[in-house]
Amino acid sequence: MTDAGNSSVVLTAGNVQVSIAPENGGRLTSLRVGALELLRQGARYGAFPMAPWCGRMGSGQFGYGGTLHQMPINADPHAIHGTARDRAWHVLSTTESTAALSCELTDPWPYRGRVTQEFQLSEHSITLTMRVETAGEPFPAQVGWHPWFLRNLGSGKDIELDFTPAWQEERGPDYLPTGRRLAPQPGPWDDCFGMPDGTTVTLTWPDALQLTITSPAEWVVVFDQQPEAACVEPQSGPPNGINTHPRSVTASDPLELSTTWAWRLLD
């Protein structure tokens, strides 16, 4: 359902309600399970799509087909999180519990293409699917999601994260992976982890709710260095992966990834 008063799309399933802001980067602005709001509020927060790259791009530069491209620096000295979160998205379709949105890839991204998001809500989960297609020549791309989950839901106990990665990417002083793989280190983190069998991370708010994030994505970034929220970001490649792990999008081979967040209330 589209709310013309504030240009949001509202999905419902049982006692669960999701709000999506097409004009603000196609992001989820709210995920309420009963009386519990799970996402940090504010124009920069919620849960936004990362495309056509994820995390930091070193010096805002990437090379492809022998050409070096420069993206605007928005996390000095790097470019971060793609351009799709800064775009207005077009609503393709909605039902009570589903929605589809799209945005065009245009300047400053040097290749023409399209990003599509689909949302499928049930009483116990939401599945997000993102797809990047070219409108002409091939280009490299990544996709992922950047949710800001509230650290505390009001129960008095902070969020707990549980996951078992195969490795942790060593983070250099420039906050880019060095290429070395480490045994997973204790948090707090602003780090990328490898999960070659797919992402599985469980978030527990004691005495309130448990949420499990799954995805075929083999990489996940965890950022929990802020007091208000914790971010668990499944993505198709590591930070700066558009340079180190390039994945070409062609007319016959678009890039598609999904993630499911499933929850249950705790007694």
Side-chain angles (χ1 to χ4, degrees):
M1 177 179 68
T2 302
D3 184 342
N6 59 13
S7 299
S8 66
V9 173
V10 179
L11 308 181
T12 58
N15 70 339
V16 180
Q17 184 177 88
V18 163
S19 296
I20 306 164
E23 296 296 321
N24 186 13
R27 76 185 65 214
L28 293 174
T29 56
S30 175
L31 170 56
R32 296 188 66 87
V33 180
L36 298 175
E37 172 61 64
L38 305 189
L39 297 176
R40 185 179 180 186
Q41 301 298 285
R44 295 178 54 240
Y45 302 112
F48 60 80
M50 296 185 289
W53 76 88
C54 301
R56 294 173 178 86
M57 178 195 295
S59 301
Q61 296 180 336
F62 75 98
Y64 189 72
T67 301
L68 184 66
H69 300 284
Q70 178 70 55
M71 294 292 100
I73 302 301
N74 58 359
D76 193 25
H78 306 305
I80 198 168
H81 297 334
T83 61
R85 65 171 178 156
D86 299 318
R87 297 283 181 196
W89 289 61
H90 176 65
V91 179
L92 300 176
S93 64
T94 63
T95 69
E96 183 177 11
S97 60
T98 68
L101 281 65
S102 72
C103 78
E104 301 303 312
L105 291 174
T106 59
D107 293 337
W109 185 249
Y111 299 95
R112 302 286 75 82
R114 188 187 204 203
V115 187
T116 304
Q117 289 191 90
E118 295 180 354
F119 305 83
Q120 294 182 302
L121 180 67
S122 75
E123 292 186 50
H124 303 290
S125 68
I126 185 169
T127 295
L128 314 175
T129 302
M130 192 159 25
R131 181 182 179 93
V132 177
E133 299 171 280
T134 179
E137 57 187 311
F139 58 81
Q142 294 175 285
V143 294
W145 293 270
H146 194 304
W148 294 82
F149 291 107
L150 287 169
R151 186 174 294 276
N152 194 293
L153 300 185
S155 68
K157 297 179 181 179
D158 282 353
I159 195 171
E160 300 171 357
L161 303 182
D162 182 32
F163 64 120
T164 308
W167 71 84
Q168 180 174 334
E169 293 286 337
E170 181 182 60
R171 172 165 46 86
D174 58 1
Y175 272 71
L176 300 179
T178 67
R180 290 187 61 218
R181 292 179 174 180
L182 309 175
Q185 306 295 303
W189 300 288
D190 185 1
D191 293 284
C192 181
F193 299 87
M195 304 190 79
D197 295 325
T199 292
T200 301
V201 182
T202 299
L203 297 76
T204 302
W205 291 269
D207 303 326
L209 183 140
Q210 186 174 82
L211 180 147
T212 300
I213 296 175
T214 57
S215 172
E218 298 179 14
W219 308 87
V220 62
V221 169
V222 179
F223 173 49
D224 66 347
Q225 295 182 358
Q226 291 194 356
E228 298 86 0
C231 306
V232 177
E233 310 161 33
Q235 49 195 63
S236 63
N240 202 38
I242 199 164
N243 286 305
T244 62
H245 295 71
R247 196 303 199 172
S248 292
V249 173
T250 68
S252 61
D253 190 19
L255 172 58
E256 184 171 300
L257 189 66
S258 64
T259 183
T260 296
W261 307 347
W263 51 79
R264 64 183 183 92
L265 294 171
L266 301 178
D267 296 328

